[in-house]
Amino acid sequence: MNRPHQGARRPHQGARRLHQGARRPYGAKTAPYDRPSRTTTLERRRTAPYLFLLPAAALFALFFALPIGYALWLSLHKIEVKGLGLGKGAKSEVWAGLGNYTSALTDPELARSALRVLGYGVIVVPVMLGLALFFALLLDSPRVRARSFARLAIFLPYAVPGVIAALLWGFLYLPDVSPFHHLLDRLGLPLPDLMDGGLLYASMANIAVWGGTGFNMIVIYTSLRSLPAEVFEAAKLDGCSELQIALRVKIPMVAPSLVLTFFFSVIATLQVFNEPMTLKPLTNGIPTTWSPLMKVYEDAFSGGNIHAASATAVILAAATFLLSFALLRASNRRTTQGATR
């Protein structure tokens, strides 16, 4: 008799396992490690976002919230000196209340520095945003050649650190080393003093405009590139020229980007520090308290009064917040009114 093949005596192991698995009744409980419970899954889903936010929250608390709280605490205290101020325990930190804030608000030097920054901002903000919008509209035009190179060339000054940019322009302003002064001298033209008087505002504003125009241009240009092309084609069919499309279509549609760059420019103007601080050793026309932040630096590190400097810094932070909030609210109100119309 022919004997059957030996492999046919036993069923396949995979089939046996399938058969054994089929014997388990429906709805039978499995081991805990096979399938997590529904409660455990919901808890993991709820805690996962907080775990992802934990590093950012820790960095925010460590490098932002904690310094602000410490500055507030310092601004409400002062140093009390007993006797000659010598020996252990002669100087102690005591509660000052709002005394530091009263002294800062009544300080005429802070008011003068704020007026200087206001004049500086009147030059910087309109010129920088106007040039950024102009360059963005040019790059968005279909007739422009070498668009990538032009975009990089306009943005490149923003990559230069502010201190280095101030030093570069400072040496270009100095009469003894500036090639522009040498050229004007050879031509017999008068040599302007760019580091003193009213021209000092234009000189520092030029540094800020040179460095910040590229960033604002990129923001506006990105907004222009996201606009639908059908709108421009419809405007061309209606007989609009490139200039009319830019003025009547593109600029109104990128108004949110213009508002955003305006906020950035205003905040950067209120916090100006690098330009005057770097140019100060090159000229006698820049005082040590030219800007409010320079006054904070002078009070804290040169005068040794860190409590008064903290009060001034808190006042500047509150003024910046209130101004930004007011401008943002006015912009949102105007946008809402325009949408309802």
Side-chain angles (χ1 to χ4, degrees), residues 6-19:
Q6 294 181 356
R9 294 180 181 179
R10 62 180 64 180
H12 194 269
Q13 293 182 357
R16 180 181 298 177
R17 292 175 182 175
L18 182 62
H19 181 68

Side-chain angles (χ1 to χ4, degrees), residues 74-79 93-101 307:
L74 288 175
S75 66
L76 298 174
H77 292 76
K78 66 178 181 179
I79 297 296
E93 194 173 47
V94 297
W95 177 260
L98 300 178
N100 292 325
Y101 291 96
H307 300 84

